[in-house]
Amino acid sequence: MSNLLLLLILLPAAAALVCYLVRSSAVRKLTVVATGAILTLASLGLLAQGTFEPIMVGSFLGISSDFLITVLDFALLGVIFYYGLKHRSLLIQGFTLAQAALLVWFEFVMIDHVAVPALVGDQLSLIMVLVISVIGSLICIFAIPYMKEHEDHLHLKTSRQPRFFLFLLLFLGAMNGLVLSNNILWLYFFFEVTTLCSFMLIGHDGTEVATRNSVRALWMNSFGGVAFVIGMMLVYAKIGTLDISAILAAGPQGAMMVTGIGFLCLAGFTKAAQVPFQSWLLGAMVAPTPVSALLHSSTMVKAGVYVVLRFAPAYMGTLLSDGVAICGAFTFVACAALCIGQSNGKKILAYSTVSNLGLIICCAGINTPLATTAAVMLIIFHAISKSLLFLCVGTIEQAIGSRDIEDMRGLFTKHPRTALITIIGILTMLLPPFGVLMAKWMAIEAASANIYVIIMLAMGSALTVVYWARWAGSLMASRDADAPAEQQATLIRIPLMALCAGAVVLSIAAPWIYNSMLAPMFDAPPFALQFGSLTASTGSFAVVPLFIVLGLGVIYAAKAASGFRKAKVMPPYVGGANVVGDNDGAYVGPMNGTVPFVASNMYLGELFAEGKLTPVFNALAVALIVLMLGGAL
């Protein structure tokens, strides 16, 4: 067991060093693919072995593992402080020095260095390892051909891929270490490693805008690091242990401990880019697409929601729990509203990611078995669909030179495979019986007792339909029978097809995923599995029956449309006689002038202007966070 756990954490780090030190594209390709395959098999093997109690980790080269983590903690803070000096950021310098000073006091004055089991494997940890290892590996494999095309576009004389894959793979190891940690100091170390990796990857291209956004990401997440250290200190002062399992078993233990957990949740908020911290994740869109996919689906932001969800038993039944739920629900509806006014595909995905993370955090705050089930199901299905969509946008951008959804209009005519996969990805985020929608139904059912939360969830869900349906509709078009087939690199096609199939197949298997992986988390599971449906006292979600109906509908639609390629395509009629010989819909307008036909979406900029709404939402979010921490006190 210990060897398998260390493989999941250390193999990506070793592979990262190989990619950096051996400057051969063939070796790098082989290393990334092999590492992805081994991580996938190791995560499945860990899942097959099942949960395990907290275990000790021995020494490394004769050095205590806990002491090694302490040394690495301060070394990591030193590296972050160096980049604060390099970029002349007083915020990075200040937050890093604050962490170092607090950590010195905590490590050398407050705590008794009693051996604590370092790693643990409960159901949540095993699910997170699977998400990180499988989806993260597919993204890394996708990055191999993508980064070659990316650097060809930039006309780089010297490839930066060795450094890029160094931090991409290191990210996976850090995330596996984070979700398996049982010692809170280990959790903090891996938490900060993800901060450094995200900074390096966001600023990878080295442009002024990339550097500026990477610096913002670093100082915001360094602020989260300060909150994490304060939270650790307060919790330890009350409970007297670094053992996360013991902390969770103790439950809420008075104002000091709950306040400490509140600061840990605040650290999770910054990492998960919750309002008002969303700007760092939006700025991360300047990075190459594999970075965006990794940050949004299986690593950085999932670290944030994991921390909030992991410590949920320690604030159950408190005002802090209500505050977390309200803050998450507010982010859900606020970012859904901000998404309405966007036409940039990556920005739509970024805002929708923050919105869905808010929903997961809201479920953690509701803190019931039903809400926890919704949160974990959202983590699984959101990671699959969102990583797929980010990779699709990256593929589309390299194909047409734009990520604006208006420029993607009619994409199916020239790039049918990519367009179809993108549409399927959007539908898995939008419609029943797919997993994301099922998890949202669970969340709304779980929030029924809190009128403020359920109103925000209902509003956010309604707004979600607008931006997803608008995008999917833009991609659809007819295609000539003799049109050439779309060409895709093998390592582009495989991740796209795998994630697309995963989003559909795992949605069909959702009842059995729940029954085998989530139900064991609870003494009284909230759902029962009946005829392919998840049934509870609050209602039922007929997964398999709905998929049967959907399948029959698709077959009927395909049969009905089987002769469409033989039909004569007519231009649209708008407001005048069509121009003779023009099949694009141009018509004769005033003064007999030719008026071109133009179709575009409505973005309601006067109502959902990002520049106007963001300051208001940020101010409200700050007030809610202050009230949340005040409730803890």
Side-chain angles (χ1 to χ4, degrees):
M1 178 66 74
S2 297
N3 292 334
L4 191 58
L5 296 174
L6 293 176
L7 180 69
L8 286 162
I9 298 170
L10 297 180
L11 175 63
L17 289 175
V18 171
C19 288
Y20 184 73
L21 297 175
V22 182
R23 303 297 174 108
S24 165
S25 60
V27 171
R28 183 165 55 246
K29 179 178 178 180
L30 178 62
T31 301
V32 172
V33 173
T35 301
I38 294 171
L39 284 179
T40 299
L41 293 174
S43 62
L44 290 171
L46 189 65
L47 182 67
Q49 291 189 23
T51 60
F52 56 91
E53 294 298 317
I55 61 174
M56 305 293 294
V57 175
S59 61
F60 182 75
L61 297 177
I63 304 173
S64 164
S65 57
D66 288 343
F67 178 74
L68 186 59
I69 289 292
T70 298
V71 172
L72 291 175
D73 267 334
F74 288 104
L76 184 61
L77 290 176
V79 172
I80 294 174
F81 184 75
Y82 162 76
Y83 282 109
L85 291 175
K86 180 179 178 180
H87 295 291
R88 300 177 182 178
S89 172
L90 294 178
L91 288 173
I92 295 173
Q93 296 171 38
F95 291 142
T96 306
L97 288 175
Q99 284 185 72
L102 291 170
L103 202 59
V104 166
W105 179 264
F106 186 56
E107 288 267 19
F108 301 110
V109 177
M110 284 188 65
I111 67 176
D112 297 322
H113 287 277
V114 178
V116 172
L119 301 174
V120 69
D122 60 4
Q123 290 297 133
L124 179 59
S125 296
L126 300 186
I127 291 170
M128 291 297 298
V129 167
L130 200 63
V131 169
I132 295 158
S133 299
V134 177
I135 296 177
S137 295
L138 287 171
I139 293 170
C140 291
I141 292 169
F142 175 92
I144 297 170
Y146 180 92
M147 290 307 295
K148 183 181 184 302
E149 179 70 24
H150 180 75
E151 293 192 342
D152 288 345
H153 176 72
L154 295 178
H155 305 293
L156 295 183
K157 295 181 180 179
T158 304
S159 175
R160 298 174 186 159
Q161 291 188 47
R163 191 183 75 163
F164 180 83
F165 282 97
L166 166 70
F167 289 103
L168 206 67
L169 292 171
L170 187 61
F171 225 139
L172 300 186
M175 275 300 300
N176 279 334
L178 187 150
V179 300
L180 290 168
S181 292
N182 183 63
N183 185 325
I184 198 169
L185 281 172
W186 283 52
L187 177 61
Y188 167 73
F189 168 70
F190 290 119
F191 192 83
E192 288 302 287
V193 173
T194 64
T195 294
L196 179 63
C197 288
S198 65
F199 164 73
M200 300 302 295
L201 289 169
I202 294 169
H204 172 74
D205 284 341
T207 61
E208 181 182 351
V209 65
T211 301
R212 183 172 66 251
N213 284 293
S214 67
V215 170
R216 176 168 52 188
L218 188 56
W219 77 252
M220 281 195 175
N221 284 287
S222 294
F223 169 75
V226 174
F228 199 109
V229 177
I230 294 173
M232 280 196 302
M233 296 173 73
L234 292 174
V235 171
Y236 184 85
K238 179 64 178 179
I239 302 296
T241 181
L242 301 172
D243 190 322
I244 294 175
S245 297
I247 293 170
L248 301 183
Q253 295 289 321
M256 179 181 289
M257 177 190 173
V258 175
T259 303
I261 298 296
F263 275 99
L264 292 176
C265 289
L266 177 59
F269 282 14
T270 61
K271 192 74 74 175
Q274 297 295 279
V275 181
F277 306 108
Q278 76 280 10
S279 60
W280 80 259
L281 192 59
L282 295 169
M285 295 303 96
V286 302
T289 293
V291 176
S292 303
L294 203 64
L295 291 177
H296 286 252
S297 63
S298 61
T299 56
M300 187 72 167
V301 296
K302 289 299 190 295
V305 297
Y306 171 80
V307 168
V308 178
L309 191 58
R310 166 56 72 200
F311 287 98
Y315 58 83
M316 182 180 292
T318 66
L319 286 177
L320 174 63
S321 194
D322 294 332
V324 169
I326 290 172
C327 287
F330 179 75
T331 290
F332 177 63
V333 67
C335 287
L338 289 169
C339 207
I340 296 290
Q342 307 301 320
S343 66
N344 182 307
K346 263 194 170 183
K347 212 164 189 181
I348 292 172
L349 295 178
Y351 270 125
S352 69
T353 294
V354 178
S355 180
N356 279 281
L357 295 174
L359 183 57
I360 296 170
I361 286 175
C362 174
C363 291
I366 295 171
N367 229 334
T368 62
L370 177 56
T372 302
T373 300
V376 178
M377 294 295 261
L378 270 170
I379 288 173
I380 296 170
F381 290 105
H382 175 264
I384 299 169
S385 296
K386 193 53 65 71
S387 60
L388 171 63
L389 288 172
F390 265 109
L391 298 189
C392 285
V393 168
T395 305
I396 293 168
E397 183 179 10
Q398 289 193 338
I400 68 174
S402 173
R403 61 180 68 156
D404 195 300
I405 66 172
E406 293 299 328
D407 296 329
M408 298 179 196
R409 187 171 297 278
L411 184 73
F412 187 78
T413 57
K414 294 183 179 179
H415 304 280
R417 182 189 294 118
T418 303
L420 182 60
I421 291 174
T422 306
I423 291 169
I424 293 173
I426 290 172
L427 294 181
T428 62
M429 291 289 299
L430 173 65
L431 295 177
F434 295 105
V436 174
L437 198 282
M438 179 189 68
K440 286 184 178 179
W441 167 75
M442 293 177 179
I444 291 174
E445 291 284 353
S448 58
N450 190 319
I451 185 64
Y452 305 108
V453 171
I454 200 168
I455 287 174
M456 287 189 281
L457 297 192
M459 292 174 60
S461 298
L463 294 172
T464 297
V465 175
V466 176
Y467 59 78
W468 284 133
R470 180 175 63 193
W471 190 354
S474 299
L475 298 172
M476 298 180 183
S478 60
R479 178 174 165 82
D480 296 334
D482 57 352
E486 180 182 358
Q487 300 297 318
Q488 276 183 345
T490 302
L491 294 183
I492 293 288
R493 184 168 63 253
I494 289 175
L496 291 181
M497 297 293 287
L499 288 169
C500 183
V504 176
V505 173
L506 292 181
S507 290
I508 297 173
W512 293 274
I513 292 174
Y514 162 79
N515 209 41
S516 62
M517 299 174 67
L518 276 77
M521 296 171 63
F522 312 106
D523 295 329
F527 292 102
L529 175 58
Q530 297 179 350
F531 306 107
S533 303
L534 290 176
T535 303
S537 59
T538 55
S540 178
F541 198 94
V543 178
V544 174
L546 285 173
F547 265 107
I548 293 173
V549 173
L550 177 63
L552 293 174
V554 169
I555 293 171
Y556 175 79
K559 184 177 180 180
S562 60
F564 80 97
R565 290 184 178 178
K566 298 178 182 178
K568 182 179 179 181
V569 178
M570 299 298 294
Y573 177 79
V574 183
N578 289 90
V579 175
V580 177
D582 192 314
N583 289 322
D584 293 328
Y587 63 94
V588 179
M591 305 298 291
N592 291 322
T594 299
V595 180
F597 172 76
V598 178
S600 64
N601 291 300
M602 293 182 64
Y603 295 94
L604 304 176
E606 67 279 4
L607 295 176
F608 297 99
E610 184 180 25
K612 293 180 180 178
L613 292 181
T614 298
V616 176
F617 288 158
N618 285 350
L620 290 173
V622 170
L624 289 174
I625 289 173
V626 171
L627 289 173
M628 179 188 80
L629 294 176
L633 287 170

